[in-house]
Amino acid sequence: RLLVGIGRYLDNCRCRHDVVLFGMTAACSSCGLRVLFLDVDGVISARTPGKIESTKLKRLVAVCESTHAAVVVSSHWRLVPVQLQLLVRTLRLQGLDVIGVTPSRRPWDPHRPLEITDWLRAYNAAADAHAQPRVLFFAAVDDRPLLDEVGGGELLGHCVTTDKDEGLTEAAAAELKLALCRPIARPALLGGAPPADSTT
């Protein structure tokens, strides 16, 4: 189920090979996939609560297009069906691939980094089982200080924090592009069971 809905991903690599993934194309297994974990409030909805702002959305689209990144929703919007449908429809109309949402632990507890790494481990384990490309590059954009939350250390180098009142600025977008180009260095995120302390 984690692999359903994958769209087209081509890394900025030299081989430019495609493989077929459930009837759609994806980057070759030697290159892997790029995934952007997206928060909404304080990122693309900052000054108009509950509404996606066009300027910030354009910056997000530019980041994803230039890095060939797919989107996984990590925002609380994923827990409200109407908001999730609006978000997914809006992103897909802009040509972005939305491939899933992170699992929910306790929504109002500071566990978002664990939800992100749970998704990565589960996805990569499923990709291995189906002989499909793993996620090898990722970044999370959020107005919450994810590095200070439980499990935040695993996001080091892969996390961009926005100002909740400013959202995704040009500077934050540039930082996000760089973060999406950093390969995963922690073997535990590449698949298999999570470490014993990831649920604490």
Side-chain angles (χ1 to χ4, degrees), residues 24-42:
M24 307 181 82
T25 56
C28 70
S29 58
S30 64
C31 303
L33 308 178
R34 294 181 201 270
V35 169
L36 188 158
F37 291 92
L38 177 66
D39 183 29
V40 176
D41 294 319

Side-chain angles (χ1 to χ4, degrees), residues 16-183:
R16 311 295 286 181
H17 293 159
D18 291 346
V19 297
V20 176
L21 181 60
F22 289 94
M24 307 181 82
T25 56
C28 70
S29 58
S30 64
C31 303
L33 308 178
R34 294 181 201 270
V35 169
L36 188 158
F37 291 92
L38 177 66
D39 183 29
V40 176
D41 294 319
V43 179
I44 56 174
S45 176
R47 297 181 179 177
T48 55
K51 295 183 179 180
I52 297 172
E53 299 170 42
S54 60
T55 300
K56 296 172 178 59
L57 177 61
K58 287 178 182 178
R59 290 175 185 147
L60 176 71
V61 171
V63 168
C64 291
E65 287 182 343
S66 66
T67 59
H68 303 286
V71 173
V72 172
V73 181
S74 56
S75 169
H76 284 310
W77 281 42
R78 76 195 192 283
L79 305 177
V80 182
V82 172
Q83 288 184 309
L84 179 60
Q85 291 169 10
L86 170 63
L87 175 63
V88 171
R89 183 169 63 250
T90 300
L91 296 179
R92 287 180 173 165
L93 283 173
Q94 296 295 318
L96 301 187
D97 285 305
V98 183
I99 64 172
V101 301
T102 54
S104 178
R105 287 183 174 235
R106 291 187 294 252
W108 304 110
D109 286 347
H111 290 162
R112 187 163 292 175
L114 295 181
E115 294 168 344
I116 289 171
T117 54
D118 282 350
W119 190 95
L120 280 169
R121 290 187 182 96
Y123 180 91
N124 281 336
D128 286 348
H130 291 85
Q132 300 295 346
R134 292 175 169 186
V135 174
L136 298 183
F137 304 83
F138 82 95
V141 59
D142 207 300
D143 67 329
R144 286 165 45 170
L146 297 185
L147 297 180
D148 297 331
E149 295 189 6
V150 178
E154 294 209 75
L155 303 187
L156 188 63
H158 300 275
C159 182
V160 174
T161 305
T162 59
D163 182 285
K164 65 181 180 63
D165 297 318
E166 296 296 326
L168 188 64
T169 61
E170 290 286 358
E175 188 179 353
L176 190 55
K177 288 181 185 179
L178 292 176
L180 282 164
C181 292
R182 296 189 184 105

